Amino acid sequence: MRVLVAEDEEILAELVATGLRRAGFAVDTVYSGDAALAYLGLHDYDVVVLDRDLPRVHGDDVARRLVAEESRTRILMLTASTSMEERVKGLDLGADDYLGKPFEFPELVSRVRALRRRSARALPPTLERRGVRLDTVERTAVRDGLALDLSVKELTVLQILLEADGKAVTAQQLLERAWDAQTDPFSGVVRVCVGQLGEKLGDPALIRTVDADGGGYVL
């Protein structure tokens, strides 16, 4: 659910981040290798989209550090070189996948989704509970056969609740998995989003608050 884009071409980095957010990911962007290492040390990312030629700390060294630390974060390495030798070298460094520039954006999204599935426990492409069905590939949801008009963020929160399979998910967990690092944790965005999602799911209510402080939710 959470992706770090480490790319020194700032315009490209923001374009990639915008597209990944539209696909349902929470995304942070950095423009140098040292910043990438700092963010990776602070947050639990499913995937890092890692440009190989980063300034200050090379992308190769970022990959080596993640491998040495046995990080669960999957690495999708980007490079301007598409030669077989460079692809092999990148994979040998510990990258999980490799994509040459320029690339088609749908392919990037597909590869990130595939790596995210590898970083998490195996889940079916369709999640279902209490009459709600979510297609995680097509990013569509229905309740009792009726289509639900959900925003990208609401779909992401719904997926997290469905993946929990009846267990409580705290507001902090939702914040960490569905929002980027710039989100104010005191802004109430989780509470508002969960409330809107609950309204759109309809009656009878499906999302239950599990403690007095409103910090945990169960579907």
Side-chain angles (χ1 to χ4, degrees):
M1 292 290 177
R2 194 161 188 177
V3 178
L4 178 65
V5 175
E7 166 61 62
D8 66 328
E9 297 179 39
E10 295 188 21
I11 293 176
L12 176 60
E14 295 307 323
L15 286 173
V16 169
T18 298
L20 289 172
R21 290 184 185 113
R22 289 173 178 168
F25 293 96
V27 186
D28 297 319
T29 54
V30 293
Y31 314 118
S32 64
D34 55 342
L37 289 173
Y39 269 65
L40 288 162
L42 288 172
H43 307 289
D44 186 19
Y45 292 99
D46 295 292
V47 178
V48 55
V49 178
L50 181 65
D51 179 45
R52 193 165 181 187
D53 297 317
L54 289 173
R56 294 202 287 273
V57 176
H58 197 274
D60 289 358
D61 294 323
V62 175
R64 290 190 185 97
R65 181 81 65 86
L66 287 174
V67 172
E69 294 174 352
E70 298 182 350
S71 172
R72 63 177 289 277
T73 302
R74 300 297 184 180
I75 302 170
L76 173 56
M77 188 170 279
L78 301 180
T79 181
S81 175
T82 58
S83 71
M84 182 185 68
E85 291 79 7
E86 288 301 303
R87 291 199 302 271
V88 169
K89 185 176 180 182
L91 293 169
D92 284 345
L93 286 167
D96 298 281
D97 200 357
Y98 201 95
L99 192 59
K101 302 177 186 176
F103 50 82
E104 296 293 333
F105 195 78
E107 181 181 7
L108 173 67
V109 172
S110 179
R111 288 173 182 257
V112 169
R113 282 180 174 156
L115 289 178
R116 190 265 168 180
R117 288 194 294 270
R118 289 169 58 184
S119 71
R121 64 186 177 91
L123 290 168
T126 301
L127 302 172
E128 188 169 3
R129 180 175 174 81
R130 300 185 66 187
V132 176
R133 179 180 294 178
L134 172 66
D135 186 322
T136 63
V137 178
E138 297 296 330
R139 303 289 293 171
T140 58
V142 299
R143 179 178 182 180
D144 298 328
L146 297 176
L148 298 168
D149 183 17
L150 303 181
S151 69
V152 171
K153 193 67 69 180
E154 289 161 356
L155 281 166
T156 300
V157 170
L158 177 60
Q159 180 171 340
I160 295 169
L161 293 174
L162 286 169
E163 287 178 355
D165 195 25
K167 297 181 178 65
V169 180
T170 68
Q172 182 64 30
Q173 288 171 327
L174 287 172
L175 185 68
E176 290 174 353
R177 293 182 61 189
W179 278 268
D180 61 41
Q182 306 307 315
T183 303
D184 182 354
F186 303 106
S187 64
V189 291
V190 173
R191 176 179 50 80
V192 171
C193 186
V194 171
Q196 292 172 339
L197 173 61
E199 290 180 5
K200 291 184 179 182
L201 290 176
D203 294 321
L206 293 179
I207 299 177
R208 178 168 54 92
T209 302
V210 295
D211 64 36
D213 297 327
Y217 305 96
V218 170
L219 189 146

